[in-house]
């Protein structure tokens, strides 16, 4: 029975790592024009989280079986001085190279996971963008032929931020659309040319004019550059400075023992579940309002929680 539980823990750990690796790297590289819901990614995430919980359940069950076996042997044994059994898994797969390979696989994935919320936030763009993308959004350069309700918007220091207005626009094909609440860096005037995001198949949807680049919301290609690459490098540096050194300094057998301690390992699926539920609205498009509804704390908080979790596990192994 114990051997079955050990193998259940091993297989579920490999399956969870594979499912979450594919989901995280895939989601990290999604282009701004990707449409929600992202059913495949949501499914992979749920499978990965479920396998993490299966692994922890197997670890707890294995510990219970071993404790019961030890008590039973103590009751029936007539020998004089039996050394107490150690709660260790069989030595299979605990060789130092395999332990280091497993550790490297997890550590390499962590920077991608830490930067994931920002990538999803950049992809999403908010409720209005999601509706336009679903309807087949395109970006056009339109000519302003009418301006109403123009208003200067200032920040808290009284510095001009942008202009908010309703614009009557003429598209290159001669069609006319109205962009309400258009954001422009300068006060809009007749004959100005602006970039507009709109859906030809859904004229009822309000087109968008923003000071930011709207063309990224129709680009469905993979996006690894810009801010995403910067965040990946920043979080990679954090993990390299704070998590990798104690992990490398710990002995392989210490890391191996820690990986089979149910109480310590329970923290992993608990945190993973919490973070998955946190970002899941960005995958499904359900329960997510505007772009600001993804709490700013998610960007840094996601990474901080991961850093502290794996730093704590590394220090636990090092100090044992």
């Amino acid at each position: 029975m114990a051997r079955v539980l050990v193998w259940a823990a091993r297989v579920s750990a490999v399956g969870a790592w594979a499912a979450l690796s594919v989901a995280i790297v895939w989601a990290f590289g999604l282009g701004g024009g990707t449409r929600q819901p992202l059913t495949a990614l949501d499914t992979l995430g749920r499978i990965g989280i479920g396998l993490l919980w299966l692994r922890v359940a197997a670890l707890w069950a294995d510990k219970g079986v071993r404790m019961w076996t030890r008590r039973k042997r103590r009751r029936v044994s007539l020998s004089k001085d039996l050394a107490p059994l150690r709660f260790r898994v069989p030595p299979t797969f605990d060789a130092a190279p395999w332990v280091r390979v497993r550790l490297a696989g997890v550590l390499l994935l962590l920077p991608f996971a830490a930067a994931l919320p920002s990538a999803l936030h950049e992809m999403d763009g908010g409720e209005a963008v999601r509706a336009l993308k679903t309807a087949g959004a395109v970006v056009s350069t339109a000519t302003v032929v009418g301006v109403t309700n123009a208003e200067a918007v200032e920040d808290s220091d009284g510095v001009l931020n942008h202009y908010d207005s309703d614009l009557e626009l003429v598209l290159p094909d001669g069609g006319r659309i109205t962009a309400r609440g258009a954001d422009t860096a300068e006060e809009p005037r007749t004959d100005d040319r602006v970039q507009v995001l709109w859906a030809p198949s859904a004229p009822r949807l309000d087109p968008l004019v923003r000071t930011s680049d709207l063309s990224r919301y129709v680009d469905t290609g993979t996006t690894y550059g810009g801010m995403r690459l910067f965040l990946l490098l920043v979080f990679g540096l954090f993990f390299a400075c704070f998590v990798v050194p104690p992990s490398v300094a710990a002995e392989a057998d210490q890391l191996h023992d820690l990986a089979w301690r149910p109480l310590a390992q329970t923290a992993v699926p608990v945190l993973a579940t919490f973070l998955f539920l946190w970002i899941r609205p960005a995958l499904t498009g359900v329960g997510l309002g505007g772009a600001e509804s993804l709490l700013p704390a998610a960007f840094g908080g996601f990474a901080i929680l991961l850093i502290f979790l794996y730093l704590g596990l590394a220090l636990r192994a090092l100090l044992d």
Side-chain angles (χ1 to χ4, degrees):
M1 181 62 178
R3 186 170 292 275
V4 172
L5 292 172
V6 167
W7 276 103
R10 288 172 177 162
V11 172
S12 58
V14 173
W17 181 87
L20 293 177
S21 295
V22 172
I24 290 171
V25 176
W26 184 356
F28 183 81
L30 288 174
T34 306
R35 301 179 186 181
Q36 291 117 317
L38 305 172
T39 306
L41 289 179
D42 182 46
T43 300
L44 282 172
R46 285 184 288 160
I47 290 174
I49 298 298
L51 288 172
L52 286 178
W53 281 110
L54 178 60
R55 175 177 179 266
V56 168
L59 291 179
W60 280 109
D62 179 63
K63 180 177 180 179
V65 168
R66 292 179 181 279
M67 291 178 65
W68 178 82
T69 302
R70 186 177 71 166
R71 289 196 299 268
K72 183 177 179 181
R73 287 180 179 178
R74 283 180 173 177
R75 287 197 301 267
V76 302
S77 177
L78 298 177
S79 58
K80 294 182 179 179
D81 293 313
L82 284 179
L85 297 177
R86 295 185 64 192
F87 297 149
R88 290 191 53 134
V89 297
T92 310
F93 299 127
D94 66 348
W98 285 111
V99 174
R100 298 300 181 185
V101 167
R102 297 198 300 267
L103 177 64
V106 173
L107 294 181
L108 287 174
L109 186 63
L110 293 181
F112 285 94
L116 181 60
S118 293
L120 292 176
H121 177 81
E122 181 182 352
M123 175 210 73
D124 181 70
E127 185 176 2
V129 171
R130 282 199 304 274
L132 289 170
K133 287 192 296 185
T134 301
V138 298
V139 170
S140 302
T141 300
T143 302
V144 178
V145 294
V147 179
T148 55
N149 302 321
E151 180 181 355
V153 179
E154 300 177 345
D155 60 20
S156 58
D157 296 325
V159 178
L160 178 65
N161 194 316
H162 65 272
Y163 283 87
D164 188 355
S165 57
D166 297 336
L167 303 180
E168 186 75 19
L169 305 173
V170 174
L171 299 170
D173 62 359
R176 285 176 174 260
I177 56 176
T178 300
R180 296 178 176 84
D183 293 340
T184 55
E186 304 292 338
E187 184 176 2
R189 300 180 184 279
T190 302
D191 294 332
D192 283 351
R193 296 176 66 81
V194 295
Q195 187 183 66
V196 57
L197 182 73
W198 66 296
S201 63
R204 68 187 183 281
L205 296 176
D206 289 335
L208 295 180
V209 174
R210 297 287 183 266
T211 54
S212 58
D213 181 18
L214 294 171
S215 62
R216 61 191 176 99
Y217 292 123
V218 296
D219 179 13
T220 57
T222 301
T223 304
Y224 284 106
M227 181 58 68
R228 299 188 188 198
L229 182 59
F230 172 76
L231 289 175
L232 180 63
L233 293 176
V234 168
F235 291 132
L237 181 63
F238 268 90
F239 280 102
C241 292
F242 296 105
V243 179
V244 173
S247 300
V248 173
E251 298 292 338
D253 60 343
Q254 295 171 318
L255 294 170
H256 183 72
D257 284 344
L258 180 66
W260 290 87
R261 294 180 183 177
L263 185 58
Q265 294 304 311
T266 299
V268 176
V270 168
L271 178 62
T273 301
F274 170 70
L275 296 178
F276 177 67
L277 294 176
W278 196 349
I279 65 174
R280 189 168 181 260
L283 301 178
T284 63
V286 177
L288 185 66
E292 69 280 358
S293 64
L294 275 179
L295 298 178
F299 302 153
F302 193 100
I304 291 172
L305 290 173
L306 283 176
I307 290 173
F308 274 98
L309 172 63
Y310 283 93
L311 176 60
L313 291 175
L315 292 175
R316 175 75 177 272
L318 180 63
L319 298 176
D320 278 348

